[in-house]
Amino acid sequence: MAAVAENLPAAAEDQEPQCEAVPGLENQRRQIENGESGRDRPLRAGESWFLVEQHWYKQWEVYVQGGDQDSSTFPGCINNAKLFEDQVNWCLKKGLVEGEDYVLLPAAAWHYLVSWYGLEHGQPPIERKVVELRGFCKVEVYPVELLLVQHSDMGTRYTAEFSQTDSIDLVSCIAREQFLVSPQEETRLWVEKAQGSFERLCNTRVTLFDAALKSGQLIIMETRSKDGTWPSAQTHAVNRASKEDEDFQGQPGICGLTNLGNTCFMNSALQCLSNVPQLTEYFLKNRYLEELNFCNPLGMKGEIAEAYADLVKQAWSGRHRSIVPQVFKTKVGHFASQFLGYQQHDSQELLSFLLDGLHEDLNRVKKKEYVELCDAAGRPDQEVAQEAWQNHKRRNDSVIVDTFHGLFKSTLVCPDCGNVSVTFDPFCYLSVPLPVSHKRVMEVFFVSMDPRRKPEQHRLVVPKKGKISDLCVALAKHTGVSPERMMVADVFSHRFYKIYQLEESLSSILDRDDIFIYEVSGRSAICENSREDVVLPIYLRERTPARDYNNSYYGLMLFGHPLLVSVPRDRLSWDSLYHILLYRLSRYVTRPSSDDEDDGDEKGPSLTSSPILADLEDKDSIPKPGHVARGSSQDPGPEQAGPSSRVAGGSRAPVDNSPGPSHWPQRARRKHLFTLQTVNSNGTSDRSNFNEDTHAQPYIAIDWEPEMKKRYYDEVEAEGYVKHDCVGYVLKKAPVRLQECIELFTTMETLEKENPWYCPSCKQHQLATKKLDLWKLPETLIIHLKRFSYTKFSREKLDTLVEFPIRDLDFSEFVIKPQNESAPELYKYDLIAVSNHYGGLRDGHYTTFACNKDSGQWHYFDDNSVSPVTENQIESKAAYVLFYQRQDVARRLQPQPSLSDPPAPPACGPPPNSEVMDLN
């Protein structure tokens, strides 16, 4: 019920039935109080009841009970004057109480009384509706009086009466009529709450009772501006538009999106979706308003759909060069916490969330029923597919389903019993794999046993799933050194982070690791004591005065590149090792001349010829592959965050505070350039003073005095290296066709161990074979190119060029559903948008190519910058997500030109002028 206060109901005389003979008083009493027409019968929702002044009714009861029609107790005409505030507007008094001020009569009883006694002249009948609220019926004596105002004119107020069961939509209709708002204009309502705050009345399908609206509340109607914005959303900070911007008029849809801080991924996804014609028309023509689902527990209360609609209306108003999607970003972060903040994300992940959010917010199914999934069980594919699609639509029916959803056929075969399971599943986009090369390019440094040769940088092509031995075999082809004479190590911060075994997988080596391959003696081994030679890991250290210590203690700094040196087992003495190392370092360490040899010079510490420490000869302590945690607890703080020891680097890291000269080995008559010390794998402690596991790898440190190092050690030469011819080799990646990716997608595969299938026949999980086929394709097909590859040890982006057609992408060879040969356009698609990703895994930038639905012109969207481009600029290695539209849909959406109109440009055709942006 909705009636304005000044619109009075019709007079009682107009509602009276034909005058009938007045029955006897006893019959009057029975008709008014008992029976179907009496006041004692139950209330029924929707019917009308009337108010009668209590005093008059009591007088009538006395009259009929007396039984004398000529009695002085005759009540006269019905007079409700005491129920009204005045006799001008006939407004009902506030606070009237049933049984004290009035009684309620059903319509039939009221009309009887009026026909028998009449109604006081000029008085309107007080008719009220019966409403049902939360399962109970009541007569709504006092309607809800609301004050209606326009956002643009808050001074003019209009009072209207509504029933608590009236919908908010009716309030909107009354307000539109009162304020003369055209049907084409979009409006929304706000209600004033306490302390002057306002709240949106989002769901216009609920009742005033559900919305908790009370009499006297202020309802504000806001009309959307021509530029697509809402007046209440325009803040001074965001909308300080110049006069030129206010008067801007451009092509609808050619509008940039401001980057709020690493939000290019969001901008790219939005621009692609905004250029899907049927979806954009759906929002521009306000069809979404009728389908907003505020009650869906899987949805977002319509907020994502409304926020997206606001963006579309602004972008397609033609009145903005660019817009700020701050409200949309906030909404997305509110409902999907992974997108909170301003970190970079994946445009396809946001697109997946957005499509799902829009679908649930616009789902026409208000209450989802339970649907049991059924297997084919030998039934024909057509029957099973139709059943699966109907079941899907019973729970999911929205513009997103109409536009983007298709149907897979999934076939699983048990390897044990041969049981075949066929199901049909809906999809929203295709994530297609790229053909991956089985080769990998690795850069390594080869260190020869010949001290005259500088380290060589090599670029090797190895199997992606190969072993360390494959790396050695590949290097052997360049160097001529047998793989059996090679040892592979990862060098980090002047230490050996890890020394690899030949059978270990190459996947454990990352592209950023510094890999050194050392030539060793063919008779040596690092983990066997049966060979004639032993491989010793060698570190270089320099003594420096330690800070905060007295002069008797010295600090040690690692520097340079470590070595793996083959030492004959029969020469495992300090003196022999000294000469072996002096030979290996001879390229950048100068031997002292005879004039320098002074047997009394304290500057040159000497070594004894005693055997190397017993733990080198202990069979339990023969060198074994070491593994040092990067930034481990044994590693002193200053070098934990230091750079990796690269060939061109010369940085040093402090490693130890060892005892001073009094603890050095005893001097001999001959001077040495450096001393040798056993250390742990970090190069930080003297093994003789460090309680290590006896099975741990013994390492040798070459300790230099600063003066001796400066005098005899050539740092420039030590850091020198040469590049092998193979370094210029680049593994060429041949371009692949999009059809090849789709073929890979539909190729049979075996399930991984982490994702087995439970066979209902075997009653156990099986690594079944799985094959996906396309059965039903959507109007707009989204193809996601899986460029990002993640494994246990590595992550990489595939920058393979995928060749995709702009027009006539034919899916007829991939769709297994029996086809309609008379309608080939049902299987052909034209490109309408591309989301691009430039850069690597940790950083990058997203942009968009999109075809304007009105002009057919392609544009390049780079955040708030928009430029026209030609079709030959669209295909690139950056293409990440492709949007294709079915040709029959494009023809259906294309407006039919009149005879006087010039011919329209072809959909997504070349630009009408040559002013384009060169992206290359």
Side-chain angles (χ1 to χ4, degrees):
M1 175 187 70
V4 296
E6 54 266 31
N7 289 345
L8 300 177
E13 291 80 5
D14 298 334
Q15 303 176 22
E16 289 180 1
Q18 294 293 328
C19 291
E20 300 176 0
V22 179
L25 297 182
E26 180 61 24
N27 287 336
Q28 287 186 37
R29 187 185 64 79
R30 284 198 298 267
Q31 290 185 45
I32 297 302
E33 295 188 350
N34 307 116
E36 182 61 27
S37 63
R39 61 187 292 250
D40 291 336
R41 73 171 181 81
L43 300 173
R44 300 187 185 96
E47 65 182 5
S48 295
W49 283 56
F50 291 80
L51 275 70
V52 177
E53 197 269 328
Q54 174 82 6
H55 181 269
W56 185 93
Y57 189 78
K58 288 297 183 182
Q59 184 69 24
W60 173 82
E61 284 185 324
V62 171
Y63 172 64
V64 296
Q65 290 172 2
D68 184 3
Q69 293 187 352
D70 298 325
S71 172
S72 59
T73 58
F74 180 74
C77 293
I78 301 172
N79 189 352
N80 290 329
K82 293 182 179 179
L83 302 180
F84 294 109
E85 291 277 3
D86 56 61
Q87 297 186 9
V88 178
N89 296 320
W90 301 102
C91 293
L92 206 63
K93 287 182 178 179
K94 304 298 182 184
L96 297 178
V97 179
E98 183 182 4
E100 295 181 7
D101 301 303
Y102 65 87
V103 294
L104 289 169
L105 297 177
W110 164 260
H111 291 311
Y112 283 137
L113 287 178
V114 172
S115 66
W116 299 335
Y117 299 93
L119 180 62
E120 191 72 29
H121 179 73
Q123 284 188 13
I126 308 175
E127 180 183 1
R128 293 296 183 261
K129 292 289 185 182
V130 177
V131 297
E132 183 177 357
L133 300 174
R134 295 180 178 173
F136 297 95
C137 290
K138 59 175 281 189
V139 178
E140 191 175 35
V141 175
Y142 291 100
V144 180
E145 291 186 357
L146 299 177
L147 303 178
L148 307 180
V149 297
Q150 261 188 313
H151 184 270
S152 58
D153 183 13
M154 298 289 287
T156 304
R157 299 189 176 189
Y158 171 74
T159 303
E161 290 184 351
F162 299 91
S163 167
Q164 286 184 303
T165 58
D166 288 337
S167 67
I168 304 297
D169 192 49
L170 180 61
V171 178
S172 178
C173 291
I174 296 297
R176 293 175 74 100
E177 291 176 5
Q178 179 64 28
F179 300 126
L180 304 178
V181 178
S182 68
Q184 289 75 29
E185 293 185 273
E186 187 179 350
T187 61
R188 62 183 184 181
L189 298 180
W190 298 79
V191 59
E192 185 178 25
K193 295 290 187 179
Q195 289 90 32
S197 62
F198 295 89
E199 182 180 299
R200 271 278 314 280
L201 295 173
C202 299
N203 189 356
T204 60
R205 292 187 286 273
V206 300
T207 64
L208 272 69
F209 178 79
D210 293 329
L213 294 186
K214 306 297 182 183
S215 291
Q217 283 190 293
L218 184 66
I219 304 298
I220 303 172
M221 188 181 69
E222 183 183 16
T223 305
R224 190 189 289 272
S225 306
K226 292 182 179 180
D227 64 354
T229 61
W230 293 103
S232 62
Q234 295 180 352
T235 61
H236 297 290
V238 177
N239 293 280
R240 287 191 191 127
S242 64
K243 183 66 177 174
E244 180 183 354
D245 290 335
E246 290 177 1
D247 298 335
F248 176 76
Q249 185 66 49
Q251 170 72 41
I254 310 305
C255 177
L257 295 172
T258 300
N259 192 325
L260 305 174
N262 284 329
T263 58
C264 57
F265 73 96
M266 180 183 77
N267 294 346
S268 178
L270 287 173
Q271 293 288 14
C272 287
L273 213 54
S274 172
N275 283 277
V276 176
Q278 59 270 48
L279 184 64
T280 296
E281 286 295 317
Y282 171 84
F283 282 98
L284 292 179
K285 293 181 178 178
N286 291 335
R287 293 200 293 267
Y288 76 99
L289 293 174
E290 301 173 359
E291 298 182 347
L292 283 170
N293 191 334
F294 299 99
C295 307
N296 188 351
L298 300 179
M300 294 146 202
K301 300 179 182 178
E303 294 184 35
I304 286 294
E306 288 189 323
Y308 178 75
D310 288 347
L311 277 181
V312 169
K313 288 176 180 290
Q314 293 177 49
W316 287 86
S317 67
R319 296 176 179 266
H320 300 278
R321 288 184 174 88
S322 66
I323 55 180
V324 182
Q326 181 66 61
V327 175
F328 181 83
K329 169 72 172 63
T330 304
K331 294 289 185 185
V332 168
H334 175 71
F335 290 106
S337 59
Q338 67 267 32
F339 296 115
L340 276 173
Y342 295 93
Q343 294 181 344
Q344 184 65 278
H345 292 279
D346 190 311
S347 67
Q348 189 273 332
E349 291 179 1
L350 177 82
L351 185 66
S352 176
F353 161 78
L354 183 54
L355 288 173
D356 185 61
L358 289 175
H359 160 64
E360 296 296 355
D361 272 1
L362 300 168
N363 199 343
R364 303 175 187 115
V365 180
K366 300 302 185 260
K367 187 176 182 181
K368 295 189 178 186
E369 57 182 306
Y370 172 75
V371 176
E372 186 174 355
L373 300 179
C374 299
D375 196 81
R379 294 180 293 162
D381 283 352
Q382 292 250 33
E383 177 185 338
V384 181
Q386 184 176 3
E387 178 187 85
W389 184 252
Q390 288 175 349
N391 288 340
H392 179 57
K393 293 278 283 186
R394 283 164 62 186
R395 293 174 54 85
N396 305 278
D397 186 14
S398 69
V399 66
I400 302 300
V401 175
D402 299 341
T403 307
F404 298 102
H405 281 208
L407 203 62
F408 284 140
K409 177 186 177 182
S410 175
T411 306
L412 289 161
V413 180
C414 178
D416 285 356
C417 67
N419 178 46
V420 179
S421 172
V422 176
T423 56
F424 288 82
D425 305 305
F427 67 89
C428 189
Y429 52 85
L430 299 181
S431 287
V432 299
L434 273 61
V436 180
S437 172
H438 298 293
K439 298 292 183 180
R440 174 185 177 185
V441 176
M442 297 183 65
E443 288 190 358
V444 301
F445 295 95
F446 174 68
V447 181
S448 172
M449 289 181 64
D450 185 347
R452 295 168 299 178
R453 292 178 58 184
K454 292 183 178 181
E456 292 179 345
Q457 184 182 15
H458 290 257
R459 182 170 290 172
L460 308 174
V461 180
V462 294
K464 185 169 288 187
K465 296 183 178 180
K467 298 180 179 180
I468 297 296
S469 57
D470 296 313
L471 188 63
C472 297
V473 170
L475 181 61
K477 296 177 181 178
H478 294 183
T479 61
V481 177
S482 170
E484 296 178 353
R485 298 178 57 190
M486 294 181 184
M487 295 192 67
V488 181
D490 181 358
V491 175
F492 175 75
S493 191
H494 314 288
R495 305 171 173 84
F496 288 117
Y497 170 63
K498 184 175 182 180
I499 300 175
Y500 292 95
Q501 298 280 12
L502 292 177
E503 64 272 11
E504 289 189 68
S505 173
L506 287 175
S507 60
S508 60
I509 298 179
L510 306 181
D511 290 337
R512 65 175 181 268
D513 293 341
D514 293 315
I515 302 301
F516 283 72
I517 300 182
Y518 297 87
E519 180 186 7
V520 296
S521 167
R523 305 174 301 168
S524 61
I526 199 165
C527 58
E528 298 178 17
N529 59 354
S530 59
R531 299 292 186 95
E532 298 180 20
D533 291 356
V534 174
V535 176
L536 296 179
I538 306 297
Y539 289 156
L540 299 174
R541 305 194 299 184
E542 179 182 2
R543 295 184 182 275
T544 57
R547 288 177 293 183
D548 301 330
Y549 286 87
N550 57 42
N551 292 333
S552 63
Y553 286 87
Y554 289 79
L556 287 156
M557 300 279 288
L558 280 174
F559 71 93
H561 304 296
L563 294 172
L564 290 177
V565 178
S566 299
V567 179
R569 185 171 295 276
D570 57 2
R571 298 182 62 187
L572 280 178
S573 67
W574 290 113
D575 194 57
S576 298
L577 180 59
Y578 171 83
H579 291 288
I580 292 174
L581 294 178
L582 193 62
Y583 171 73
R584 286 296 301 269
L585 304 176
S586 60
R587 180 171 57 85
Y588 44 90
V589 172
T590 306
R591 287 177 178 269
S593 64
S594 57
D595 295 336
D596 293 333
E597 293 187 6
D598 182 0
D599 57 359
D601 191 357
E602 287 292 335
K603 295 180 181 178
S606 64
L607 292 172
T608 66
S609 59
S610 61
I612 294 180
L613 298 177
D615 58 354
L616 276 178
E617 295 182 326
D618 189 327
K619 66 177 181 179
D620 292 332
S621 301
I622 294 298
K624 298 176 182 178
H627 188 278
V628 183
R630 300 177 192 255
S632 66
S633 59
Q634 295 179 359
D635 208 2
E639 83 274 21
Q640 288 181 6
S644 174
S645 173
R646 299 189 179 275
V647 171
S651 62
R652 303 182 302 173
V655 297
D656 201 4
N657 292 312
S658 298
S662 61
H663 290 79
W664 291 357
Q666 295 298 317
R667 286 175 43 80
R669 288 179 300 173
R670 191 171 181 179
K671 183 182 70 173
H672 288 73
L673 301 181
F674 47 78
T675 60
L676 301 177
Q677 190 73 266
T678 55
V679 293
N680 64 9
S681 57
N682 274 328
T684 57
S685 300
D686 185 340
R687 284 175 56 86
S688 61
N689 297 326
F690 186 71
N691 185 20
E692 281 195 88
D693 183 358
T694 56
H695 294 270
Q697 165 80 47
Y699 289 69
I700 303 295
I702 299 177
D703 292 340
W704 288 84
E705 287 293 328
E707 256 187 68
M708 300 295 286
K709 176 175 176 291
K710 183 177 180 180
R711 186 173 180 180
Y712 297 106
Y713 186 91
D714 187 343
E715 288 196 34
V716 175
E717 181 64 26
E719 298 292 336
Y721 71 100
V722 295
K723 292 185 178 182
H724 190 270
D725 294 340
C726 65
V727 173
Y729 172 79
V730 177
L731 184 62
K732 294 183 178 180
K733 298 180 180 179
V736 299
R737 295 167 58 245
L738 178 59
Q739 289 84 341
E740 295 178 52
C741 301
I742 299 171
E743 286 178 4
L744 273 178
F745 177 78
T746 57
T747 301
M748 184 181 296
E749 61 178 357
T750 302
L751 297 179
E752 298 177 350
K753 293 181 179 179
E754 296 80 10
N755 186 31
W757 169 66
Y758 182 78
C759 177
S761 179
C762 297
K763 305 298 182 184
Q764 59 183 354
H765 289 88
Q766 300 283 4
L767 300 182
T769 59
K770 180 179 181 180
K771 188 178 190 306
L772 291 176
D773 291 295
L774 301 178
W775 181 268
K776 170 183 166 59
L777 294 179
E779 292 183 352
T780 300
L781 179 62
I782 303 175
I783 302 178
H784 165 225
L785 304 177
K786 297 172 71 173
R787 291 195 176 276
F788 299 106
S789 173
Y790 300 93
T791 65
K792 184 177 180 180
F793 296 102
S794 65
R795 301 190 301 173
E796 63 176 330
K797 179 191 174 185
L798 305 175
D799 59 353
T800 307
L801 175 63
V802 178
E803 297 175 342
F804 50 89
I806 305 297
R807 294 183 184 82
D808 297 326
L809 174 59
D810 192 352
F811 271 88
S812 57
E813 62 177 300
F814 300 108
V815 177
I816 64 171
K817 179 182 178 180
Q819 300 179 14
N820 183 359
E821 297 181 359
S822 62
E825 68 274 8
L826 294 177
Y827 310 100
K828 289 188 177 181
Y829 286 78
D830 295 334
L831 188 71
I832 58 172
V834 181
S835 175
N836 305 300
H837 178 265
Y838 301 92
L841 285 168
R842 292 176 178 80
D843 54 6
H845 184 58
Y846 287 92
T847 64
T848 299
F849 289 113
C851 176
N852 186 274
K853 68 181 181 66
D854 297 331
S855 67
Q857 164 73 55
W858 280 91
H859 286 81
Y860 180 66
F861 297 83
D862 185 359
D863 289 333
N864 58 353
S865 173
V866 185
S867 304
V869 293
T870 56
E871 290 184 359
N872 58 9
Q873 294 174 273
I874 297 171
E875 187 179 277
S876 71
K877 293 182 179 180
Y880 183 45
V881 184
L882 311 175
F883 285 68
Y884 277 93
Q885 187 178 60
R886 211 168 60 203
Q887 289 184 350
D888 68 311
V889 177
R891 293 191 182 95
R892 186 186 74 211
L893 296 174
Q894 191 171 357
Q896 297 298 324
S898 62
L899 297 176
S900 59
D901 291 338
C908 303
N913 56 64
S914 59
E915 293 184 7
V916 297
M917 175 181 176
D918 186 5
L919 299 178
N920 299 319

